[in-house]
Amino acid sequence: MLRLAKATCLLVLLLTFGSVWSATGVAFVHGTGKQTDALNDYWTTSMVNSVRQGLSDSNNYVVINCDFEQYMWDAQAAGCLAGQLHTFINQRGINDLVVLTHSNGGNVMRWIMSNPTWDSRYPQIIDRLRWVNALAPSSLGTPLADAVMAGNVFEASLGWLLGYQNDAVRMQQTSWMAHYNSNWLLGTAGRPNLPKPFWNVVGSDVHAALWNSASYCGGYQYQVGLAVTQWWLNSCSDGFLECSSQNGAGSLWFYDHWVTQSGRKLSHHQSRRDCFGLDVILRNDL
Amino acid sequence: MKTTNILIALALMSGSAFASNNIEWMPGSESDLVAGRLVSETAAIPASQHAESAPLSYTWAAGERSATEPAAQGVVVESRQYWVDVSARSLDTGVKLPISAPGAVVRISALDSGTRLQLDPGHLELSINGQSLDRSALEMSTGTEMRQEGMQVPQDSLAFRLPGDSEAGTLHLQMATGADEVPMVIHVHEPESPWVARMSTTRSTFLSDQSIEFDVLLDDGDRVFEVDQVRAMLVSPDADQMMDLSRQTNGKVLEGVVPVSAISAAPGLHEVHAYVEHNIGGATVKRDLKLAIGVAPASGRFSGDIDMLPALGLSLDLGVEVAIEGRYQVNAEIFGTNAEGEMEAMAFTQSAAVLEAGKNSIGIEIDAQMLLDSGLSAPFEVRHLQLLDQGRMFVLEHRDQALRIGPPARDIRGRSDEMIR
């Protein structure tokens, strides 16, 4: 209801001051990983092309490519994201920016929104931002990161502490995110609001049965793997993140089955793909 | 614009704006982080990594979701899992693992990357309490499959889940790997177990040379146990420094100190690792706990000086004393009094500037329009006041309730304009 009221207000403003408020743009922000072609490797062109049809000028979009294997505040992570968003809004005159993030991309965006004095580009990005639609954000971290970051400090060399994990995985351990949420990030329970809305889309299950058509959107092989990773998660999860983490900061927009076609649930892989009408929901939100 | 100015002028005349009020520090709370004095060993403090040099400020209205109570600063982690380090050779001969509930998830991994071990499910032999388990009935997953889904286990991994009707007791795990002394780790996760270990502390940030305490307990859903054995260690972000935590005589509290010399230049957090083992009725329960905390040297603090500058809104200069040059950030939430006389969040404000070592100040500001829009009036309070070091990712000071701005009140402890520490 709140979201609808805000959208109505924006529509009224848009109709009233249309010539001033006309440049809406959308940015696609990927999750953990070092991307050089996120359009094809992370989102797929069918997802991006479908969503951007909701823009009055469908060229007002940018697909971010940064190194999100780093800590969120790193110059290659938040610095890179700020650089690409800053260039996008200035080159295309965007003054109404909608940012779509997936997974850890939500944390990097939330870093920018929480620490506007970190970098002189951040305030302008926040000023132009309408809101963030956070697809399965890892706001409270994931037990999977805890599970893989371990050995025994009394019994072995500590290579495992630093060796085969990147900083983004270390950062998404649950107690690490609790620290950053309490001290550096805003929008979680008991903390001040973010300067702009951060709307969560929560994926709540994984279907991985040969006879279930929901298992095939985005690739059956991914669904099988995500069903396995659910072993380390509680009953409401998308195979990578528990629902509580996905809705741990900002505000709930919707749980997958509330609005998707036939009430389908979105796995962590499917929440970045044009599965079960998600692309249309995001398109209609622009 | 003309209307706005009239409103602001009326606000000033009515005495509801800040200018006519006194300002005073509020009493501290147990969860506050405050340095008594600054460190003198500045050589031990890593260089600042900040890139921005311009002073910046940003303020926004609190909105409808703001907390009206201080955020909980306590931290607690819980665990239904443990890890055991083994060698590939010991896997060949077999390893015994205590299991406290059915449906345990077990993962075997090489401890280091690139070992190229062949963890063949066909070579896995399992028994529980001497009864052999049919491995074809187990769900299994390889490292490749788990990595494909973003679970960054080593490539050389194999995971399986025990049946939902399996017994508690001792799992005997044997696996021929063909390797010798390759270090391995076995992770046992028991999602269905009632046995939960918990570790807690009062907050997630500490200063060097301060005592840090952690409570450790084990419960089975009905009873809380003081555990038989606890070993714990504090590890620096780069794993270069490891400090033992001592167990106090009451049995449940671990205690330690991070000296300034152990402050790491590496980004990231310190981790407390605790290993719990408890024997009950001839059975063993093992749990590992891990908790991340921030540890900073006492390299900066609010000096206690405050200047309220002439302005239509709120404009404060907060005295900041720092031991070393860097870029420092101040966060503050401003609360005001609503028509019912209750405190309500009005705005969040943040300022940052590069400061030289010594006494400085950082200003925070709420403009008059935001004050008027909020509908709130005096007394005002500054809560959740923080001093952060951006270039070193240090949390240097945090006060749940910091300043009161309003008519002098007799029920406020402490003296006006004097820092309460």
Side-chain angles (χ1 to χ4, degrees), chain A residues 120 127 147 165 173 187 193 250, chain B residues 52 58 62 65 107 152 290:
Chain A
S120 55
D127 288 343
Q165 300 304 345
Q173 295 177 91
N193 278 357
Chain B
E52 182 62 64
Y58 201 85
R65 207 186 102 137
R107 174 173 60 85
Q152 295 295 315
K290 180 171 52 178

Side-chain angles (χ1 to χ4, degrees), chain A residues 173-203:
Chain A
Q173 295 177 91
T174 51
S175 77
W176 282 57
M177 284 305 297
H179 172 87
Y180 291 121
N181 282 322
S182 296
N183 294 285
W184 290 94
L185 296 172
L186 304 177
T188 51
R191 291 279 286 159
N193 278 357
L194 291 160
K196 293 292 174 69
F198 188 88
W199 296 104
N200 300 316
V201 174
V202 178

Side-chain angles (χ1 to χ4, degrees), chain B residues 99-180:
Chain B
I99 300 290
S100 65
V105 177
V106 180
R107 174 173 60 85
I108 310 162
S109 293
L111 201 51
D112 302 313
S113 56
T115 57
R116 301 192 178 185
L117 273 180
Q118 297 299 313
L119 298 178
D120 183 352
H123 293 159
L124 187 64
E125 299 291 341
L126 298 169
S127 65
I128 295 182
N129 300 332
Q131 298 289 314
S132 180
L133 277 177
D134 178 8
R135 66 168 174 262
S136 65
L138 301 178
E139 298 171 84
M140 294 209 188
S141 184
T142 65
T144 302
E145 290 166 344
M146 288 181 275
R147 288 176 67 86
Q148 201 168 35
E149 304 314 322
M151 188 176 182
Q152 295 295 315
V153 296
Q155 192 75 40
D156 316 314
S157 294
L158 179 70
F160 58 87
R161 181 161 63 173
L162 296 176
D165 58 356
S166 59
E167 292 178 26
T170 302
L171 171 70
H172 188 260
L173 187 158
Q174 189 172 5
M175 189 173 197
T177 61
D180 202 5

Side-chain angles (χ1 to χ4, degrees), chain B residues 357-377:
Chain B
K359 289 197 169 184
N360 303 269
S361 68
I362 292 181
I364 59 174
E365 191 164 347
I366 308 289
D367 69 35
Q369 190 64 57
M370 187 173 287
L371 171 63
L372 285 172
D373 289 346
S374 74
L376 302 173
S377 58

Side-chain angles (χ1 to χ4, degrees), chain A residues 8-41:
Chain A
T8 306
C9 288
L10 279 168
L11 182 64
V12 170
L13 286 168
L14 192 65
L15 293 173
T16 309
F17 306 103
S19 58
V20 180
W21 280 61
S22 58
T24 297
V26 61
F28 295 80
V29 181
H30 60 82
T32 300
K34 185 176 183 178
Q35 298 294 334
T36 53
D37 183 13
L39 173 64
N40 292 301
D41 298 340

Side-chain angles (χ1 to χ4, degrees), chain B residues 133-294:
Chain B
L133 277 177
D134 178 8
R135 66 168 174 262
S136 65
L138 301 178
E139 298 171 84
M140 294 209 188
S141 184
T142 65
T144 302
E145 290 166 344
M146 288 181 275
R147 288 176 67 86
Q148 201 168 35
E149 304 314 322
M151 188 176 182
Q152 295 295 315
V153 296
Q155 192 75 40
D156 316 314
S157 294
L158 179 70
F160 58 87
R161 181 161 63 173
L162 296 176
D165 58 356
S166 59
E167 292 178 26
T170 302
L171 171 70
H172 188 260
L173 187 158
Q174 189 172 5
M175 189 173 197
T177 61
D180 202 5
E181 290 304 321
V182 175
M184 311 282 293
V185 64
I186 301 174
H187 175 207
V188 180
H189 174 49
E190 302 189 275
E192 307 302 326
S193 175
W195 289 94
V196 181
R198 291 186 174 83
M199 179 161 57
S200 60
T201 186
T202 51
R203 57 174 187 262
S204 69
T205 56
F206 296 90
L207 295 173
S208 58
D209 297 324
Q210 277 187 341
S211 174
I212 306 174
E213 289 188 350
F214 305 90
D215 283 349
V216 177
L217 291 168
L218 181 72
D219 75 71
D220 66 353
D222 295 323
R223 297 160 296 174
V224 177
F225 297 87
E226 188 179 295
V227 291
D228 295 337
Q229 296 177 50
V230 182
R231 290 195 300 171
M233 190 167 278
L234 188 55
V235 183
S236 65
D238 55 4
D240 190 42
Q241 302 273 343
M242 300 178 68
M243 291 141 277
D244 280 320
L245 294 173
S246 59
R247 194 177 185 190
Q248 290 184 346
T249 49
N250 66 10
K252 67 171 188 176
V253 177
L254 301 167
E255 187 175 23
V257 169
V258 178
V260 174
S261 58
I263 295 294
S264 171
L269 301 173
H270 282 70
E271 288 184 340
V272 182
H273 293 255
Y275 303 89
V276 170
E277 189 165 328
H278 190 71
N279 295 294
I280 184 163
T284 300
V285 179
K286 291 186 74 170
R287 294 289 181 258
D288 291 359
L289 292 145
K290 180 171 52 178
L291 195 157
I293 57 170

